Amino acid sequence: DTAVSQTPKYLVTQMGNDKSIKCEQNLGHDTMYWYKQDSKKFLKIMFSYNNKELIINETVPNRFSPKSPDKAHLNLHINSLELGDSAVYFCASSQDKEQPQHFGDGTRLSIL
Amino acid sequence: EDQVTQSPEALRLQEGESSSLNCSYTVSGLRGLFWYRQDPGKGPEFLFTLYSAGEEKEKERLKATLTKKESFLHITAPKPEDSATYLCAVQAGNYGQNFVFGPGTRLSVLP
């Protein structure tokens, strides 16, 4: 009965590959997010998605694209992976965009 | 640009030794300030939301307070299970579109 679940938990891949991370929430929330936590443990928001309205953080390369098939899912697709993409990616959800966020346990992405 | 800083970077306490963590922020149009706890290998876990200066929230050994420029997380008589990284985050902007996390304070409570 995990509230926010991400798959896979670990992802090891080669530079230049394309990969996706899946996120599902069973809380009935309207808003979902993707965060990147780098090696210094700094959490930085990448995207938020509220009722099919996508808010893009302009510092995120366009190799990153969120896709939301429905309100309970927000997947992250990354094209042409680079060494600097190595990080832990967290998915989160909230009742609406001003309520506290509930986080998944992260996907650790390592680029070889 | 909205900014959040936290101090100290790391804190080591003996069990039962009370202390406070600081979160200072510079934002345009604060909508809310959030405290989270993060354990190794896990996602942040929500603790408190504060919306206006003077507000206080309590949960077990934790108490969060808010002023116009900073927030404190007071830990009273901590136990080893309180060891974690404590993160502060602010939501700001006219539409609450800016969400910024601080770098966190790593707390270790020794038995």
Side-chain angles (χ1 to χ4, degrees), chain B residues 21-39:
Chain B
L21 312 182
N22 176 267
C23 169
S24 295
Y25 61 91
T26 307
V27 297
S28 212
L30 179 72
R31 309 280 284 200
L33 184 140
F34 303 85
W35 281 99
Y36 289 85
R37 166 195 172 126
Q38 186 173 23
D39 293 300

Side-chain angles (χ1 to χ4, degrees), chain A residues 9 35 37 40-43 45 55 90 97-101 103-105, chain B residues 31 34 36 38 41-44 46 49 51 87 91 95 99 101-103:
Chain A
K9 190 171 175 64
Y35 285 85
Q37 189 170 45
K40 295 184 179 179
K41 306 296 184 185
F42 220 111
L43 258 176
I45 192 166
I55 302 169
F90 286 98
K97 60 184 180 178
E98 297 198 10
Q99 295 300 314
Q101 296 173 23
F103 284 78
D105 282 340
Chain B
R31 309 280 284 200
F34 303 85
Y36 289 85
Q38 186 173 23
K42 298 287 187 181
F46 170 70
T49 309
Y51 292 105
L87 300 167
Q91 184 172 23
Y95 307 103
F99 206 88
F101 271 85

Side-chain angles (χ1 to χ4, degrees), chain A residues 31-92:
Chain A
T31 309
M32 295 184 74
Y33 310 81
W34 278 108
Y35 285 85
K36 180 180 180 180
Q37 189 170 45
D38 59 25
S39 56
K40 295 184 179 179
K41 306 296 184 185
F42 220 111
L43 258 176
K44 191 164 184 181
I45 192 166
M46 301 174 70
F47 304 103
S48 64
Y49 210 102
N50 183 56
N51 276 328
K52 298 192 181 299
E53 181 185 352
L54 177 62
I55 302 169
I56 300 176
N57 184 319
E58 294 181 359
T59 63
V60 178
N62 58 15
R63 298 182 294 105
F64 290 79
S65 55
K67 296 187 192 305
S68 179
D70 55 57
K71 211 170 73 167
H73 296 84
L74 182 63
N75 303 323
L76 183 65
H77 188 76
I78 316 170
N79 288 327
S80 304
L81 281 157
E82 300 177 357
L83 289 174
D85 297 333
S86 294
V88 181
Y89 291 84
F90 286 98
C91 176

Side-chain angles (χ1 to χ4, degrees), chain B:
Chain B
E1 184 182 343
D2 299 330
Q3 288 192 334
V4 179
T5 58
Q6 290 187 246
S7 61
E9 184 176 328
L11 181 62
R12 184 173 285 194
L13 299 173
Q14 289 296 132
E15 185 171 1
E17 180 187 1
S18 301
S19 188
S20 296
L21 312 182
N22 176 267
C23 169
S24 295
Y25 61 91
T26 307
V27 297
S28 212
L30 179 72
R31 309 280 284 200
L33 184 140
F34 303 85
W35 281 99
Y36 289 85
R37 166 195 172 126
Q38 186 173 23
D39 293 300
K42 298 287 187 181
E45 176 188 346
F46 170 70
L47 294 173
F48 303 109
T49 309
L50 301 165
Y51 292 105
S52 55
E55 192 174 356
E56 297 183 353
K57 294 270 178 77
E58 278 190 73
K59 180 181 177 180
E60 297 180 353
R61 296 178 291 283
L62 301 177
K63 179 179 175 181
T65 61
L66 181 65
T67 71
K68 287 187 178 179
K69 293 190 176 181
E70 58 190 350
S71 176
F72 290 94
L73 184 65
H74 307 279
I75 304 177
T76 302
K79 298 182 177 182
E81 53 261 42
D82 294 323
S83 297
T85 296
Y86 289 85
L87 300 167
C88 166
V90 296
Q91 184 172 23
N94 291 335
Y95 307 103
Q97 70 273 24
N98 300 331
F99 206 88
V100 180
F101 271 85
T105 292
R106 278 193 326 278
L107 174 66
S108 300
V109 182
L110 307 175

